[in-house]
Amino acid sequence: MGVLIAKRQGLGLLRALLVLLGVSVLCSVALGTRKGHASLDHRSHRHRHPGHLSLHRHRQRAGKEGQVLHRSKRGWVWNQFFVIEEYTGPDPVLVGRLHSDVDKGDGTIKYILSGEGAGTIFVIDDKTGNIHATKTLDREERAEYTLTAQAVARNTNEPLEPPSEFIVKVQDINDNPPEFLHGPYYAMVPEMSNVGTSVMQVTATDADDPTYGNSARLVYSILQGQPYFSVEPQTGIIRTALPNMDREARQEYDVVIQAKDMGGHMGGLSGTTEVKITLTDVNDNPPKFPQSVYSMSVSEDKVPGEEVGRLKAKDPDLGDNGLVNYRLIDGDGMNMFEISTNSETREAVVKLKKQVDFETKRSYTLKVEGSNPHIDSRFLAWGPYKDEATIKISVEDADEPPVFVAPSYTFEVEENVPQGTPVGRVHAKDTDVANNPVRYLIPRYTDVDQFFSISEDGLITTNRPLDRETQPWHNISVSATEIGTNPRYTKVRVNIKVKDVNDNPPEFASDNEVFMCETVTPGKLIQSVSAVDKDEMAHRQHFTFSLAPEVAHNQNFTLKDNRDGTASIYVLRKGFNRLTQDVYFLPIEINDNGFPSMSSTNTLTIKVCSCDSEDNIGSCHMAPHVLPAGLSTGALIAILACIVILLVVLFVALRRQKKEPLIVFEEEDIRENIITYDDEGGGEEDTEAFDIATLQNPDGANGFLPRKDIKPELQFPIRPGLGRPAANSVDVDDFIKTRIAEADSDPTAPPYDSIQIYGYEGRGSLAGSLSSLESVTTESDLDYDYLQSWGPRFRKLADLYGTKDCSIYDTEDRDQ
């Protein structure tokens, strides 16, 4: 019989289980287990009693005489065993024992174990069949293992038993505490919530087996946060536990929740999490003014729209719940002031609506109301959600400028009135309590021509006669200034209309020139005339026309007044001849019939013209006299005058050209001729350049004038005998004279005062470099005695340098 035993911890317990194992085997035989079949004694219960797996081999027997007995097939009987997790004892855990009924104990049977964990976690003694767990098992990593057991011959490895599977389950122990996987938690609940209001639910997890024992049965409790909140032990739902929790008193709460396994009993494992609960705001507070009375002041010189003051009702609620609207509900200043709400600061801003006057009213009273626009109906009984306050505004006196009794003035005055005529009077007064006197002035920029002046009492008079036709309106300003330590002034507009006086006579409205044909017939209308007047025409005023008295009885023309402001001119006779008289002047008298009446005499010019058969006007002038010669006398005189002028101009030009000197005199020796060569000198070693302009022409001083700077058309050869001296000539004076003479006598060369190039100074020159650039900051140690041999022109230079040096040396020698 093969037996698989699950071992309990402890040697004494193992012995007791082995005794029970033997009893169970005997009981199975006594119950009449059928021969030839395998039986399973399964002991799988919660207390982990060891079980055994038994394999029975039934051999064939003779039941009766002559009966053939057959051996029944042996098979594996399945059973399930448990191994406690996290075993930490010194010896491997005995899982069970495998034993075959063919095993005689002689060591010919070998037991083989295969499957999950075989050889690593589970090992078998191939002789005894004992199966042990060599490692500590963790149910949370793996809950069960499937193994296969088989008995084979040790020598041949031939199977003696068919392989059979069995399961080893890892039995759970409480080795994992509960965990809150999503903590810490954050929750919000409205303030003033009822008791039992759900806040949130927290859930913990336990890695132990929930189907075995109480290892994973959790119970929730609150460790911190009482008496404000509570938690349901089985669900983990957090609820409010205290009524009327006020956000304005306390806004945040830190709650600690614990989850404990083993049903919360002693010895269970636990885990905690933190829940931060915030009370959200509700409108449960009405606005309240900190003061019942506010005092403000405003100066009377403030303009409408300026701010007077601010006040604010306090509301501890947040957001829209704390908004406050303000309005004026009563007071004698409701028409003078207005109130608005600042959206950023939530303050009530009192502004001036109309300008106040200290002398009229010195104080105002306003009653303002602040109320919540958003009210929660649940808390209406806690209201009213508004408050009132009183604002007292005092008006401050300001030094105001004088005020004119009228916003503007309009006066009328006739034109041509004499100087000093009154035009009108303006009046301003000081509205301040001091009531200072006022002085008036006409700003000059409003009356540039100074037509008017104003007296101390505001009377405007004329300074000179006015002309309506020149300027019908005079728009000036008058300023009023109070007399005091801090003078203030104001201005007013004064419009002066110049009334018309009939002081301009009428005159022709258009051109007073008329063209008439020689062949005109008597009684023909040749012109209609009209008049204009610069003065204003009265309603019934009109013009009358008549011929002047001196031509009233002329035989040529007559006039008819049309009584509509026009007159018609008619011809009285015929036979006009432009060769005899081509122009007639007809004086016409025009009267404007005004008051006083003004009249004028205007002359109408009538020109007689030649006309064709259709009365088209041709020539209106007398025919000119024709000279017998081809040219007129005026043309001949003009031609002669032009000839004389040309001759005079030519003579003067020739005289000036003849007197022009060939060269400037010595006192005007300016030498402005500059010839520029695109050549850069080579410094002190350049032996090809010499500025002869620094020398004075000796011949010019003797009265000799060289040729003008005009390049001749013919080229003249250089005179013989003026050959260039040797470059190494020691007599520099002769060299320069030779060069000057050669240049003066050469008509193709530039003038003497231009730049000449000489090649007398080259390498090895006795003079060396004459530049003083290097001797500016350093003392020269050159010997200038050789200048004595350069000729008389360098004698002065030799005396200045050579002699001085010698004198210095002599002095030094004497000193020594």
Side-chain angles (χ1 to χ4, degrees):
M1 176 182 295
V3 179
L4 182 62
I5 301 175
K7 182 180 181 183
R8 289 286 292 180
Q9 298 179 10
L11 182 59
L13 181 61
L14 178 59
R15 292 175 178 174
L17 292 178
L18 290 176
V19 173
L20 293 176
L21 177 61
V23 174
S24 66
V25 172
L26 294 176
C27 290
S28 64
V29 176
L31 290 175
T33 303
R34 188 177 53 169
K35 294 181 180 181
H37 296 279
S39 64
L40 174 63
D41 184 2
H42 179 67
R43 298 172 183 264
S44 177
H45 44 77
R46 302 299 293 176
H47 299 288
R48 300 185 182 181
H49 290 283
H52 63 277
L53 185 62
S54 178
L55 298 176
H56 303 275
R57 173 172 292 179
H58 303 280
R59 299 187 179 275
Q60 296 179 358
R61 297 170 184 241
K64 292 182 180 180
E65 185 71 17
Q67 184 179 2
V68 179
L69 299 177
H70 296 279
R71 175 179 163 183
S72 62
K73 183 178 180 181
R74 183 185 64 83
W76 290 98
V77 178
W78 166 253
N79 203 347
Q80 182 170 279
F81 303 99
F82 296 88
V83 180
I84 299 176
E85 67 171 334
E86 303 295 343
Y87 172 72
T88 58
D91 299 324
V93 179
L94 177 62
V95 177
R97 176 176 294 173
L98 179 65
H99 186 75
S100 176
D101 56 356
V102 299
D103 187 2
K104 304 300 182 179
D106 54 1
T108 60
I109 303 300
K110 182 173 65 173
Y111 299 96
I112 299 174
L113 186 67
S114 61
E116 297 174 344
T120 56
I121 299 176
F122 303 102
V123 296
I124 189 172
D125 188 342
D126 60 352
K127 294 181 179 180
T128 63
N130 293 334
I131 302 174
H132 292 82
T134 61
K135 294 183 179 180
T136 300
L137 302 181
D138 187 1
R139 189 201 66 84
E140 287 69 38
E141 292 184 2
R142 187 161 188 172
E144 62 181 29
Y145 297 86
T146 302
L147 298 172
T148 302
Q150 190 176 20
V152 299
R154 183 175 296 275
N155 296 328
T156 62
N157 287 331
E158 292 183 0
L160 302 178
E161 304 288 345
S164 181
E165 292 182 351
F166 62 95
I167 295 175
V168 178
K169 285 193 173 183
V170 181
Q171 190 167 1
D172 181 55
I173 64 173
N174 190 18
D175 60 343
N176 291 281
E179 293 182 356
F180 292 92
L181 301 180
H182 302 289
Y185 298 89
Y186 298 90
M188 292 185 294
V189 64
E191 63 174 332
M192 299 297 172
S193 297
N194 297 326
V195 175
T197 302
S198 176
V199 179
M200 73 173 303
Q201 183 179 13
V202 295
T203 303
T205 59
D206 196 320
D208 293 326
D209 189 359
T211 64
Y212 178 75
N214 296 326
S215 298
R217 188 163 68 89
L218 306 180
V219 174
Y220 298 93
S221 61
I222 183 168
L223 300 182
Q224 177 181 319
Q226 296 172 329
Y228 306 102
F229 300 95
S230 63
V231 64
E232 293 183 357
Q234 305 302 326
T235 62
I237 297 176
I238 303 173
R239 299 183 183 275
T240 58
L242 194 66
N244 299 330
M245 286 191 294
D246 191 5
R247 183 201 65 82
E248 287 73 31
R250 183 177 178 182
Q251 184 175 358
E252 293 184 350
Y253 297 84
D254 292 327
V255 179
V256 177
I257 302 297
Q258 174 183 268
K260 190 173 184 181
D261 58 12
M262 300 299 292
H265 295 140
M266 184 179 298
L269 303 178
S270 64
T272 61
T273 186
E274 182 179 350
V275 182
K276 187 177 290 293
I277 300 176
T278 303
L279 297 183
T280 58
D281 184 67
V282 298
N283 191 9
D284 58 337
N285 294 280
K288 184 68 177 177
F289 286 103
Q291 302 172 216
S292 59
V293 179
Y294 291 85
S295 298
M296 300 179 183
S297 62
V298 59
S299 179
E300 62 177 342
D301 59 354
K302 297 295 183 181
V303 297
E306 291 197 35
E307 182 178 325
V308 177
R310 297 191 178 197
L311 68 160
K312 183 179 182 181
K314 293 185 177 180
D315 191 330
D317 295 325
L318 299 178
D320 293 342
N321 297 324
L323 290 178
V324 181
N325 289 342
Y326 303 92
R327 67 186 184 98
L328 297 177
I329 58 176
D330 196 8
D332 57 357
M334 294 184 65
N335 295 329
M336 305 299 296
F337 301 92
E338 59 185 359
I339 195 168
S340 61
T341 303
N342 188 295
S343 59
E344 295 182 359
T345 62
R346 297 184 179 180
E347 294 176 314
V349 182
V350 181
K351 294 183 179 179
L352 190 63
K353 188 176 181 180
K354 295 181 181 179
Q355 192 167 10
V356 295
D357 185 12
F358 174 80
E359 289 72 26
T360 304
K361 188 174 177 61
R362 300 189 178 185
S363 64
Y364 295 90
T365 301
L366 296 173
K367 184 171 287 188
V368 61
E369 177 188 82
S371 59
N372 288 139
H374 306 286
I375 300 177
D376 195 332
S377 59
R378 297 175 298 173
F379 307 102
L380 284 176
W382 297 19
Y385 288 88
K386 60 183 178 181
D387 194 19
E388 296 178 359
T390 301
I391 304 175
K392 292 185 177 181
I393 302 176
S394 61
V395 180
E396 296 178 350
D397 187 24
D399 189 9
E400 298 177 288
V403 177
F404 284 94
V405 296
S408 63
Y409 294 88
T410 301
F411 302 119
E412 293 183 352
V413 62
E414 290 186 351
E415 63 176 332
N416 302 324
V417 295
Q419 179 182 356
T421 301
V423 176
R425 188 184 302 275
V426 297
H427 179 65
K429 60 181 180 178
D430 185 10
T431 59
D432 296 325
V433 178
N435 194 16
N436 294 322
V438 177
R439 179 179 59 191
Y440 301 95
L441 179 68
I442 298 177
R444 288 298 93 188
Y445 67 88
T446 64
D447 185 20
V448 178
D449 296 326
Q450 300 184 8
F451 286 104
F452 307 96
S453 61
I454 190 168
S455 63
E456 294 182 356
D457 58 354
L459 179 62
I460 301 175
T461 58
T462 59
N463 286 336
R464 53 183 173 142
L466 307 177
D467 186 9
R468 187 203 68 84
E469 288 73 33
T470 304
Q471 189 172 352
W473 283 89
H474 292 267
N475 301 316
I476 65 174
S477 295
V478 175
S479 64
T481 306
E482 60 177 324
I483 301 175
T485 57
N486 186 21
R488 303 288 300 277
Y489 75 94
T490 185
K491 293 190 299 183
V492 70
R493 192 71 175 173
V494 178
N495 303 315
I496 301 174
K497 179 181 179 181
V498 182
K499 297 173 64 177
D500 183 54
V501 174
N502 193 17
D503 59 343
N504 290 281
E507 57 187 11
F508 282 140
S510 59
D511 191 9
N512 58 352
E513 191 173 59
V514 180
F515 298 94
M516 181 185 69
C517 293
E518 292 177 312
T519 59
V520 63
T521 58
K524 184 179 176 66
L525 174 66
I526 62 173
Q527 184 68 24
S528 292
V529 294
S530 60
V532 293
D533 196 330
K534 295 180 181 179
D535 297 321
E536 292 181 351
M537 295 293 292
H539 179 65
R540 296 183 177 181
Q541 188 176 354
H542 62 278
F543 298 112
T544 59
F545 299 85
S546 62
L547 293 178
E550 62 269 19
V551 295
H553 303 287
N554 74 91
Q555 302 298 322
N556 297 321
F557 307 99
T558 185
L559 181 144
K560 179 183 177 182
D561 192 346
N562 297 324
R563 303 295 180 180
D564 60 355
T566 63
S568 300
I569 310 299
Y570 294 93
V571 180
L572 293 180
R573 69 178 181 88
K574 64 178 181 178
F576 292 94
N577 188 348
R578 65 187 178 90
L579 297 179
T580 303
Q581 184 175 353
D582 59 346
V583 178
Y584 293 86
F585 298 101
L586 184 64
I588 299 175
E589 187 176 289
I590 307 175
N591 194 304
D592 59 7
N593 197 23
F595 182 81
S597 178
M598 296 291 294
S599 63
S600 65
T601 300
N602 297 266
T603 301
L604 183 67
T605 302
I606 303 174
K607 293 186 177 182
V608 181
C609 304
S610 61
C611 301
D612 55 13
S613 58
E614 297 181 356
D615 291 339
N616 293 324
I617 297 176
S619 176
C620 297
H621 300 283
M622 297 179 63
H625 296 285
V626 181
L627 294 177
L631 295 176
S632 63
T633 304
L636 292 176
I637 294 174
I639 294 174
L640 292 176
C642 292
I643 294 174
V644 172
I645 292 172
L646 290 175
L647 291 175
V648 172
V649 171
L650 181 61
F651 178 76
V652 172
L654 291 176
R655 293 273 297 179
R656 292 184 63 182
Q657 183 177 4
K658 183 176 180 181
K659 291 181 179 181
E660 183 178 8
L662 296 178
I663 191 170
V664 294
F665 294 100
E666 183 178 2
E667 60 271 10
E668 296 179 355
D669 192 5
I670 300 175
R671 304 180 185 234
E672 295 178 345
N673 294 331
I674 299 175
I675 299 177
T676 302
Y677 298 91
D678 190 11
D679 181 22
E680 183 176 357
E684 295 180 355
E685 296 298 329
D686 187 356
T687 60
E688 299 297 327
F690 182 79
D691 187 6
I692 199 64
T694 59
L695 302 178
Q696 179 68 33
N697 185 7
D699 296 333
N702 298 329
F704 173 76
L705 298 178
R707 80 283 179 270
K708 295 176 63 177
D709 189 15
I710 300 177
K711 185 177 181 179
E713 296 180 356
L714 299 178
Q715 301 294 330
F716 295 92
I718 301 177
R719 291 182 301 171
L722 297 177
R724 180 175 301 179
N728 55 357
S729 176
V730 178
D731 193 351
V732 179
D733 187 22
D734 295 339
F735 174 78
I736 294 176
K737 285 182 178 181
T738 303
R739 277 314 199 185
I740 292 175
E742 180 181 350
D744 291 340
S745 61
D746 187 2
T748 62
Y752 70 91
D753 55 353
S754 62
I755 298 176
Q756 300 292 329
I757 297 176
Y758 301 93
Y760 71 91
E761 181 181 355
R763 296 184 181 273
S765 173
L766 296 177
S769 175
L770 298 179
S771 174
S772 61
L773 295 178
E774 297 180 354
S775 61
V776 175
T777 58
T778 59
E779 295 183 359
S780 177
D781 54 354
L782 297 177
D783 186 6
Y784 294 95
D785 291 338
Y786 62 87
L787 295 176
Q788 297 287 345
S789 61
W790 278 25
R793 293 201 176 189
F794 293 88
R795 189 168 301 160
K796 185 64 175 178
L797 188 62
D799 294 337
L800 292 175
Y801 289 88
T803 306
K804 182 178 180 180
D805 293 341
C806 293
S807 62
I808 294 176
Y809 297 150
D810 294 342
T811 303
E812 291 179 353
D813 294 337
R814 287 194 300 270
D815 293 339
Q816 292 177 358

